[in-house]
């Protein structure tokens, strides 16, 4: 359940085109990464996103066109901060 409490700020490591959407790579930190697995839901800037890939402390999320049109996630660039 999403509590609405921001646990940490994180940095965008990369964002790549992925079909009609994008794939967002975020440095989620050691503690969050240790508690996460593929398929988990993590809120990024208020949007609940599903972890599609984990590589160390970096999690990847697939952003569908609908998500991109209704959030600010499509405007993110490398090194931007997210919560």
């Amino acid at each position: 359940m999403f509590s609405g409490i921001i646990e940490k700020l994180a940095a965008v490591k990369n964002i790549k085109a992925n079909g009609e959407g994008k794939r967002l790579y975020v440095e989620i930190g050691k503690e969050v990464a240790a508690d996460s697995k593929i398929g988990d839901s993590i809120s990024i800037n208020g949007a609940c996103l599903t972890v599609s890939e984990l590589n160390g402390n970096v999690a990847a999320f697939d952003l569908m066109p609908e998500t991109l049109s209704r959030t600010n996630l499509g405007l993110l660039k490398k090194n931007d901060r997210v919560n």
Side-chain angles (χ1 to χ4, degrees):
M1 177 176 81
F2 177 61
S3 66
I5 297 172
I6 296 170
E7 288 188 31
K8 70 179 289 143
L9 292 176
V12 173
K13 298 309 282 181
N14 205 351
I15 189 160
K16 297 180 181 181
N18 187 17
E20 292 182 28
K22 293 184 179 184
R23 183 167 272 204
L24 174 67
Y25 297 84
V26 178
E27 171 71 48
I28 59 174
K30 183 171 65 172
E31 301 83 18
V32 176
D35 290 336
S36 299
K37 63 186 180 307
I38 293 174
D40 282 353
S41 182
I42 296 177
S43 179
I44 305 286
N45 284 5
C48 288
L49 303 177
T50 302
V51 176
S52 56
E53 181 182 336
L54 273 172
N55 186 5
N57 297 336
V58 176
F61 306 89
D62 291 321
L63 307 177
M64 301 295 113
E66 185 74 10
T67 301
L68 294 170
S69 73
R70 295 187 179 270
T71 68
N72 71 345
L73 299 175
L75 303 174
L76 294 173
K77 301 176 299 300
K78 187 175 180 178
N79 298 320
D80 281 351
R81 305 289 283 174
V82 295
N83 61 43

